[in-house]
């Protein structure tokens, strides 16, 4: 298993941003809604996965996942196989092409989450929502009511299609 690809120290590039993310995780100040943008290959998804694994880790170390606890082990298997664990959910929005898909996803993320354990949703290709009439509006109406144990990290290569109203609620 490639454990080291889930450590900030092993990522190359944009050290300032990586340090900001790591520090916010280490100090328990990571915001519940974030958007990671940039061109292909800059590390948006990898950074999102490290953040997600850290947020759900039972024993995080200096803003990074321990990779030893039960949650880390299950999350690691999930990220390398199915994309979902009980705590970490990776969703490719590029394959969601109907408003009904958005409604079901919104119910899963914002309505059905309860309890105290963190739930992290990483949305890949979030720019694809622009093709669904009312897709961004549906997310926008729920962001402000997100349960405190839910984290949404959106990843996109096309920040220009993300509505200003959604960006204003996120840490970019």
């Amino acid at each position: 298993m490639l454990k080291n690809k889930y450590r900030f120290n092993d990522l190359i590039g944009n050290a300032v941003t990586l340090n900001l993310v790591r520090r916010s995780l280490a100090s328990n100040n990571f915001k519940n809604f974030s958007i990671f943008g940039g061109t292909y290959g800059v590390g948006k998804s990898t950074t999102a996965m490290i953040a997600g694994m850290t947020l759900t880790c039972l024993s995080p170390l200096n803003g990074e996942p321990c990779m030893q606890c039960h949650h880390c082990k299950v999350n690691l298997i999930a990220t390398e196989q199915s994309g979902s664990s009980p705590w970490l959910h990776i969703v490719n929005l590029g394959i969601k092409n109907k408003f009904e898909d958005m409604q079901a996803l919104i119910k899963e993320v914002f309505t059905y989450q309860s309890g105290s354990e963190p739930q992290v949703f990483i949305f890949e290709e979030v720019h694809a929502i622009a093709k669904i009439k009312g897709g961004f509006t549906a997310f926008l109406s729920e962001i402000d009511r997100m349960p405190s144990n839910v984290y949404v990290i959106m990843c996109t290569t096309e920040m220009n299609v993300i509505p200003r109203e959604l960006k204003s609620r996120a840490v970019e």
Side-chain angles (χ1 to χ4, degrees):
M1 291 187 198
L2 302 172
K3 292 181 185 183
N4 63 343
K5 81 177 189 179
Y6 297 106
R7 301 280 187 177
F8 287 114
N9 286 341
D10 295 315
L11 297 181
I12 298 171
N14 208 338
V16 173
T17 301
L18 293 173
N19 284 331
L20 285 171
V21 172
R22 184 186 338 187
R23 279 198 315 265
S24 71
L25 289 163
S27 63
N28 294 317
N29 288 324
F30 192 85
K31 301 299 180 190
N32 290 71
F33 179 52
S34 302
I35 302 174
F36 294 174
T39 59
Y40 288 103
V42 298
K44 301 174 298 294
S45 297
T46 303
T47 301
M49 283 191 228
I50 296 169
M53 291 181 78
T54 303
L55 288 165
T56 61
C57 178
L58 297 174
S59 302
L61 306 166
N62 299 317
E64 303 215 38
C66 73
M67 302 309 293
Q68 302 298 316
C69 71
H70 175 69
H71 285 200
C72 283
K73 290 177 182 178
V74 171
N75 286 341
L76 183 62
I77 292 167
T79 59
E80 306 218 350
Q81 292 176 9
S82 68
S84 285
S85 78
W87 314 280
L88 181 64
H89 316 273
I90 302 167
V91 181
N92 182 344
L93 295 180
I95 60 174
K96 306 284 185 190
N97 55 15
K98 293 183 250 168
F99 187 73
E100 293 78 23
D101 294 338
M102 289 294 98
Q103 287 179 314
L105 185 60
I106 286 167
K107 280 185 181 177
E108 179 184 351
V109 175
F110 301 108
T111 306
Y112 297 143
Q113 299 306 321
S114 62
S116 60
E117 287 197 336
Q119 299 289 311
V120 178
F121 292 85
I122 299 172
F123 296 141
E124 299 283 355
E125 299 184 45
V126 73
H127 51 270
I129 300 174
K131 297 175 185 165
I132 300 171
K133 185 177 180 178
F136 280 124
T137 303
F139 268 107
L140 190 57
S141 65
E142 296 295 332
I143 291 296
D144 294 331
R145 297 189 306 239
M146 210 165 33
S148 61
N149 68 312
V150 174
Y151 296 86
V152 171
I153 304 171
M154 295 181 164
C155 299
T156 183
T157 56
E158 299 178 31
M159 283 294 280
N160 59 314
V161 302
I162 309 299
R164 175 177 39 91
E165 297 83 5
L166 193 60
K167 287 184 204 177
S168 72
R169 287 169 169 78
V171 174
E172 294 181 63

